[in-house]
Amino acid sequence: MTDFSHLADSSGKKETARYTFFEILGEPWLDVRLADESNKPFFNALLRRQQQSRRGFRMRQISTETLRQRRMEDARLYAKFVVVGWGNVTDKNGEDVPFTVEDCKKFLRMIPYWLFDELRDFASDPSSFLTEDEPDPANTEKN
């Protein structure tokens, strides 16, 4: 019988990856965990939120206010379960801010929505967590 168990090996993945906001002065960076089902606390929080959303679900169009509220909730979940550290993050006076979950939530809620969306894309993409010696399949030429 053919054995493909080597394909399930996740040893080629880093536990965290660094995301840099090049568009923000000082280029703050965040160390993040993968935001998918492998991050059990994060995924369970998403499932709980989805169950709560279903309870109050009615047929309606999604408004920009609904999207804003969803981003605010995602910022809370990312601060609690995905972001594990940061650097080059400063307050409005230019003082370095040490990482805390509460300050991270405030930071994520204040950055422009499109930057937060880019962070979500990065953190939910397993290829962002490949080790340096493992090639990114998207950049590997096909034989």
Side-chain angles (χ1 to χ4, degrees), residues 13-42:
K13 295 215 175 13
K14 301 179 284 186
E15 189 171 319
T16 63
R18 182 157 292 173
Y19 183 81
T20 303
F21 292 100
F22 294 108
E23 303 84 356
I24 298 176
L25 185 63
E27 298 184 354
W29 52 263
L30 309 178
D31 284 335
V32 298
R33 290 187 186 116
L34 184 57
D36 72 358
E37 63 270 9
S38 68
N39 182 337
K40 301 283 188 229
F42 173 72

Side-chain angles (χ1 to χ4, degrees), residues 34-122:
L34 184 57
D36 72 358
E37 63 270 9
S38 68
N39 182 337
K40 301 283 188 229
F42 173 72
F43 194 68
N44 288 336
L46 282 180
L47 291 175
R48 280 191 300 278
R49 182 176 77 185
Q50 186 178 27
Q51 288 173 339
Q52 292 168 351
S53 294
R54 283 186 186 155
R55 289 186 193 123
F57 180 75
R58 288 179 293 236
M59 292 298 285
R60 65 180 185 271
Q61 286 186 322
I62 296 179
S63 68
T64 55
E65 179 59 22
T66 302
L67 289 175
R68 189 191 71 73
Q69 289 173 350
R70 179 64 51 91
R71 263 192 206 94
M72 294 297 105
E73 176 61 14
D74 283 352
R76 184 186 72 78
L77 295 178
Y78 267 64
K80 190 170 182 180
F81 301 115
V82 176
V83 180
V84 296
W86 67 18
N88 298 339
V89 175
T90 57
D91 63 15
K92 74 176 190 173
N93 298 320
E95 299 293 321
D96 284 331
V97 178
F99 178 81
T100 66
V101 170
E102 190 59 33
D103 282 337
C104 183
K105 181 173 67 173
K106 290 176 187 175
F107 175 82
L108 294 175
R109 286 180 171 177
M110 289 304 298
I111 61 174
Y113 74 89
W114 56 274
L115 287 177
F116 184 68
D117 288 348
E118 287 180 4
L119 170 65
R120 284 194 298 192
D121 290 346
F122 176 85

